[in-house]
Amino acid sequence: MSRNSDNGKNTENGENTSHSLSRHSSHKVTIRDVAKVANVAPSTVSRAFSRPGRVSAETTKRIFDIANEIGYRTDSITPVSTSEHFTGLIGIVVADLSNPVFSELTRAVQHECFSHNLGVLVIDSEENIVVENDSIRMANQHIDGIILGSSRLSDTKIRKLAQFKPLVAINREIRGVHCIVADPTQGLEQAVDHLDELGHHSITYLSGPDNSWQNGMRYKTLSHLCSLKNITLHKVSAHAPTFTGGYRCREEFLANPSTAVVAYNDTMAIGFIAAMHASGIQIPQQVSVVGIDNVTFSSLVTPAISTISLPRKEVGKAAADAVISIIKDADEPARTLNFKSRFVARSSTGAAPEHRIRPVPLDY
């Protein structure tokens, strides 16, 4: 196909294709225009942009090529960069897709992006800062904006990324960067009040990743709340924020036990409860356990996990809306949006036992 520079119309095999639109035409290009040139239904064009997996790869490519050629832009978004190339993709980086917290967050982002006719590129960093950094570098040219979910990168690195790409950070506050935070403070306050009313005077925090901003915030908040209640707080570091990580906390915990435990997340809480059962310790009769996240399965295990509920759907939607706003307007000032949490009491917490737990011999 060659372009006739005199009249702005396309010619192919000498024939005039008058239905095609010039990129520089004053006419606002619509889905119907793309559909007409591609010889498909407007609904097919819509699905190609919002649900590309439901349209054949060949048809999707033809639609994208034609849309780019005639100047169609979904949701009238103009890319914020020196390049005129607009991909229609938003990237989201999460620490571990096997964790339901991140799968739910990703789905919320995806649903909101789809409503704006944007696709989503998902990167699972596997809790590895090298993987996260390299994946972002490789994906950078293919995305119009990026959402960092619980990033392990430094503040300096994230601020630098935000200078070149519309960026939003989730569950982390960074000066000069758009941030969406699920604040655990309210839920932790309610959880500590709950444990205090049940007669607990000692709590152990099962810590998450050392380089997690949320982990540091949760421990700092819990430490402050316990000091106000004259509750002794211990800390046990887990090797990973997983079921296995929670299970492996039992040796250090039993060396200096408390009557209550607050875990970095629900998955660790469930692993810890499994370890206590294996050691002959009853939950909550001897140890009360609180998780954080309120994932679906936390109410399905036995005992059901008392937990701090964080609004992941709202956070994901807000993050998607924020990055789209930055793509539209590069000069939008950075701000932090906080969402409150709440405590959900279930059967993994109960009255404090009269006697301390005796260390139990561990079987390996």
Side-chain angles (χ1 to χ4, degrees):
M1 180 180 290
S2 62
R3 181 177 297 279
N4 186 325
S5 59
D6 293 330
N7 58 22
K9 297 179 180 179
N10 294 333
T11 60
E12 185 174 19
N13 299 326
E15 296 182 3
N16 193 344
T17 56
S18 59
H19 58 267
S20 296
L21 298 173
S22 167
R23 176 185 297 275
H24 304 292
S25 169
S26 60
H27 172 80
K28 182 179 179 181
V29 183
T30 68
I31 280 180
R32 291 186 179 277
D33 295 320
V34 178
K36 184 176 181 181
V37 179
N39 195 29
V40 297
S43 59
T44 301
V45 177
S46 178
R47 282 196 299 272
F49 281 100
S50 63
R51 305 279 200 288
R54 296 178 59 186
V55 180
S56 72
E58 181 181 355
T59 301
T60 298
K61 183 179 185 304
R62 186 168 82 255
I63 289 172
F64 283 4
D65 289 344
I66 290 172
N68 185 60
E69 178 66 18
I70 68 177
Y72 174 70
R73 293 292 181 266
T74 59
D75 201 35
S76 301
I77 294 177
T78 302
V80 179
S81 69
T82 56
S83 170
E84 294 183 356
H85 180 59
F86 177 65
T87 69
L89 282 177
I90 301 297
I92 178 171
V93 182
V94 295
D96 180 9
L97 268 178
S98 66
N99 186 327
V101 168
F102 294 114
S103 59
E104 291 177 23
L105 180 65
T106 299
R107 178 171 293 181
V109 169
Q110 181 172 266
H111 286 176
E112 186 63 16
C113 285
F114 280 173
S115 72
H116 291 271
N117 290 325
L118 295 170
V120 176
L121 175 67
V122 182
I123 298 173
D124 183 350
S125 69
E126 301 178 10
E127 294 281 0
N128 187 311
I129 191 172
V130 176
V131 172
E132 180 178 359
N133 187 69
D134 289 349
S135 297
I136 292 173
R137 176 178 52 80
M138 289 186 286
N140 187 54
Q141 64 179 319
H142 305 293
I143 56 178
D144 303 307
I146 189 166
I147 297 171
L148 300 179
S150 298
S151 176
R152 305 300 184 235
L153 298 177
S154 68
D155 287 4
T156 300
K157 176 68 175 179
I158 293 175
R159 275 194 289 266
K160 185 175 181 180
L161 282 172
Q163 292 176 2
F164 299 96
K165 183 75 65 175
L167 181 149
V168 172
I170 292 179
N171 286 341
R172 181 169 175 176
E173 292 185 12
I174 305 169
R175 179 177 50 82
V177 174
H178 292 258
C179 302
I180 311 294
V181 178
D183 188 350
T185 302
Q186 301 81 14
L188 283 172
E189 287 177 348
Q190 295 164 11
V192 171
D193 286 344
H194 173 72
L195 293 173
D196 182 52
E197 291 171 359
L198 290 172
H200 294 276
H201 302 296
S202 60
I203 296 175
T204 297
Y205 176 62
L206 305 185
S207 178
D210 290 337
N211 57 355
S212 164
W213 184 87
Q214 270 287 346
N215 180 61
M217 181 180 181
R218 291 172 187 182
Y219 179 68
K220 180 179 179 180
T221 301
L222 190 59
S223 179
H224 172 68
L225 294 171
C226 285
S227 67
L228 295 178
K229 298 282 187 180
N230 291 318
I231 295 174
T232 301
L233 179 65
H234 308 292
K235 182 180 179 181
V236 172
S237 297
H239 82 289
T242 60
F243 176 94
T244 302
Y247 195 100
R248 291 183 177 177
C249 287
R250 70 169 178 171
E251 183 173 3
E252 188 174 346
F253 171 78
L254 291 175
N256 186 24
S258 59
T259 61
V261 164
V262 175
Y264 170 75
N265 61 25
D266 288 344
T267 306
M268 287 180 63
I270 293 170
F272 177 79
I273 288 175
M276 293 299 99
H277 285 164
S279 301
I281 295 172
Q282 295 179 311
I283 308 295
Q285 292 85 349
Q286 293 175 275
V287 182
S288 287
V289 178
V290 174
I292 298 177
D293 285 332
N294 193 26
V295 295
T296 301
F297 59 69
S298 65
S299 63
L300 304 178
V301 297
T302 302
I305 307 296
S306 293
T307 185
I308 293 163
S309 182
L310 301 175
R312 285 179 295 283
K313 290 182 180 180
E314 292 85 349
V315 166
K317 181 182 185 303
D321 287 340
V323 78
I324 290 170
S325 294
I326 303 169
I327 292 172
K328 291 180 178 179
D329 180 8
D331 295 325
E332 181 172 329
R335 62 193 181 97
T336 296
L337 180 61
N338 284 279
F339 286 85
K340 293 184 178 181
S341 56
R342 61 186 177 87
F343 175 65
V344 179
R346 297 194 180 109
S347 54
S348 68
T349 50
E354 295 181 1
H355 305 288
R356 287 176 58 85
I357 302 167
R358 296 179 181 178
V360 177
L362 302 178
D363 53 327
Y364 292 100

